[in-house]
């Protein structure tokens, strides 16, 4: 009966991809901890870029800064 | 001074119903634990169907599967 | 299939009181939104006083400040 | 590597203000607890007024009630 | 840069099992959504039985009720 | 009336440091968004090392891997 909250930036995850996440994490909990899939709840939250911060910056600024630092990747 | 987060699928809860949830859970915490309603915070999150998983499936697929299994309910 | 997270300070809520919260909020969601109690999940988190802030203060300091301001209550 | 979730009502916070929140809380955690800003994640959730309750009321009703009680503030 | 919160009842998950959950869900997000594992954060919360409700009951009461209803499983 | 949840690893944050976090984030929200400190709630969650994952690893394994990669820092 686990509860899983997956939070990602909103950038085009499709319903099929979300279904894969739901199936995948539910199977993971069943395989590793024998949790009952019937009562495993998964919530996916999608946040706008400006609402997600990492490294002290909104995520798009962070990505731009990373790209500037590592031009070859 | 409790904090309550209620998460539901987005399927038409009205402002009046949400007000009932807010009032109801605040009263419950006051009645059971003598919590001060003045500082009880309630947050309601509504998630799109494709973002809610149960039984390893997105909720609409889950409901369809349940309906197929239990045709008489 | 709602998910409810109730967060309170850890100050002696008994198993019976917690059971009342679980039953109460599950019934509330069934009554107001016709949510299925069978798949309603409730999580109660109890936080130590020093981990709960309100009014810019840890909760025990906040309560002391409130008591000092309002001696008659 | 802290994770911070800031939840506010949706009422016009600008991208610049959100960037200030992200920078500010990341710096706070670095200054107070020496947490590495590079792996500090901040999530801002904005909730519609009807989804935020305080004092047993949706927030706009709460504000109206407060304004009625305290006309001079 | 996803954030994942896995909540389970506290009933003996080992450090090795938790490491499997962390690795598994991080890989899942990389495989399905190409999320960078380096900045994927996973938080596991373990709750005491009396703090977890399902079907309107604390989880141990729920399990006892399920066992009574379905003696053959 | 914001709600802020700060999640960190449990590694000795003192009550004084937590009070600084509570005061600091409450002031930040007042300064940036004019949020009322009186109804700003802050919750600090401290997680055991084995319950915190980053980069696909429990945090202590992650730190060991980082230290091995970057011996001079």
């Amino acid at each position: 009966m686990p509860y899983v909250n997956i939070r990602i930036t909103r950038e085009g995850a499709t319903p099929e991809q979300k279904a894969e996440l739901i199936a995948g994490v539910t199977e993971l909990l069943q395989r590793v901890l024998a949790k009952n899939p019937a009562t495993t709840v998964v919530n996916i939250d999608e946040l706008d870029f400006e609402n997600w911060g990492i490294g002290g910056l909104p995520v798009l600024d962070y990505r731009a800064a990373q790209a500037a630092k590592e031009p070859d990747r």
Side-chain angles (χ1 to χ4, degrees), chain A residues 8-45:
Chain A
I8 53 175
T9 41
R10 192 191 316 280
E11 45 188 318
T14 64
E16 290 71 27
Q17 289 172 322
K18 293 173 183 178
E20 259 190 276
L21 292 181
I22 290 166
V25 76
T26 304
E27 285 159 22
L28 180 70
L29 283 155
Q30 182 176 28
R31 180 165 55 78
V32 177
L33 292 177
K35 294 294 181 185
N36 183 2
T39 50
T40 296
V41 174
V42 183
N43 279 186
I44 300 171
D45 293 319

Side-chain angles (χ1 to χ4, degrees), chain A residues 40-56:
Chain A
T40 296
V41 174
V42 183
N43 279 186
I44 300 171
D45 293 319
E46 297 175 279
L47 277 77
D48 292 338
F49 288 127
E50 66 189 50
N51 288 350
W52 195 291
I54 172 90

Side-chain angles (χ1 to χ4, degrees), chain A residues 52-65:
Chain A
W52 195 291
I54 172 90
L57 294 171
V59 67
L60 291 186
D61 294 350
Y62 172 83
R63 289 182 188 171

